C-alpha cells in the first residue's frame, strides 16, 4: 500500500475529491470520494448527511446526534450512484483520507476495483485500527489501493 504515483488522471481526480470534501459543513469530517469509470466521474460523496438531506447548525452542535447520522464519503458516493442507477462495478474510488473498515466493506460490495488515497492527511491515528482492518479487507478482496500525492 505504500505505492506513490503521480499519474495526471489520479492527480486530477484527487483534486476533485478534495473539492468535494470542502462541501462538508463540519471541518472535522472533511473527506471526499470520487468514483470514476474509464476517466468518467460516475458519483461523488462527502462525509455528512447524504446529498439533498438538510443539515443544520443544531445537528452539528449535537455531536452524538450528528455522528449517529453521519454518512462517510465512500458510503455517500456508492449510495448516490445506486439511487441514480449508476453501476460502480469496476470503478476506481479516489478518496482524500484512508477508508475506514465500514467504508472498505461498502467499496468491496460495490465492486470497486481500485482505491486511490491522497497522500495528505494519512497520519491520523484516531482510526488507526479501523484503517488497518480496512487495508486488510481490501487486500483480501483483491482490491488494489495506492497512495498518490496530488501536490495540493
Amino acid at each position: 500500500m505504500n505505492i506513490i504515483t503521480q499519474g495526471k488522471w489520479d492527480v486530477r481526480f484527487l483534486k476533485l475529491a478534495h473539492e468535494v470534501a470542502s462541501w462538508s459543513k463540519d471541518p472535522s469530517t472533511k473527506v471526499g470520494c470520487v468514483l470514476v469509470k474509464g476517466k468518467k466521474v460516475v458519483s461523488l460523496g462527502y462525509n455528512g448527511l447524504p446529498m439533498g438531506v438538510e443539515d443544520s447548525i443544531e445537528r452539528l452542535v449535537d455531536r452524538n446526534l450528528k455522528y449517529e447520522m453521519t454518512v462517510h464519503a465512500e458510503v455517500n458516493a456508492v449510495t448516490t450512484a445506486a439511487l441514480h442507477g449508476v453501476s460502480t462495478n469496476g470503478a476506481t474510488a479516489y478518496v482524500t483520507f484512508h477508508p475506514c473498515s465500514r467504508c472498505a466493506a461498502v467499496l468491496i460490495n460495490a465492486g470497486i476495483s481500485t482505491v486511490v488515497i491522497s497522500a495528505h492527511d494519512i497520519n491520523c491515528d484516531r482510526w488507526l485500527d479501523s484503517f488497518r482492518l480496512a487495508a486488510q479487507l481490501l487486500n483480501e478482496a483483491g482490491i488494489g489501493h495506492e497512495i498518490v500525492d496530488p501536490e495540493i
Side-chain angles (χ1 to χ4, degrees):
M1 186 177 74
N2 294 326
I3 302 168
I4 305 287
T5 64
Q6 290 274 337
K8 72 175 183 176
W9 287 104
D10 290 337
V11 171
R12 286 181 183 181
F13 292 130
L14 280 176
K15 285 185 177 182
L16 177 58
H18 279 275
E19 172 65 23
V20 171
S22 72
W23 299 348
S24 174
K25 296 178 183 178
D26 185 348
S28 70
T29 61
K30 285 191 179 293
V31 181
C33 176
V34 176
L35 301 181
V36 175
K37 286 178 80 170
K39 297 187 176 125
K40 178 181 177 185
V41 174
V42 295
S43 189
L44 307 172
Y46 61 94
N47 276 16
L49 296 177
M51 289 184 215
V53 176
E54 244 345 273
D55 212 340
S56 68
I57 298 301
E58 293 79 19
R59 186 174 290 121
L60 294 177
V61 169
D62 186 347
R63 305 297 285 187
N64 291 331
L65 177 59
K66 191 250 178 216
Y67 281 116
E68 284 176 7
M69 300 182 73
T70 294
V71 178
H72 289 201
E74 297 89 334
V75 178
N76 197 348
V78 169
T79 302
T80 301
L83 286 173
H84 291 92
V86 177
S87 170
T88 55
N89 194 37
T92 297
Y94 291 86
V95 294
T96 60
F97 201 83
H98 196 294
C100 67
S101 54
R102 177 175 67 166
C103 290
V106 168
L107 294 173
I108 291 166
N109 290 333
I112 300 298
S113 63
T114 306
V115 178
V116 180
I117 306 161
S118 176
H120 299 281
D121 302 325
I122 60 171
N123 295 322
C124 173
D125 61 352
R126 178 178 176 195
W127 301 99
L128 195 55
D129 288 340
S130 186
F131 294 159
R132 287 182 184 143
L133 178 57
Q136 183 179 1
L137 289 170
L138 293 172
N139 281 334
E140 289 174 1
I143 296 176
H145 49 290
E146 57 187 35
I147 299 171
V148 173
D149 184 359
E151 297 180 6
I152 294 177

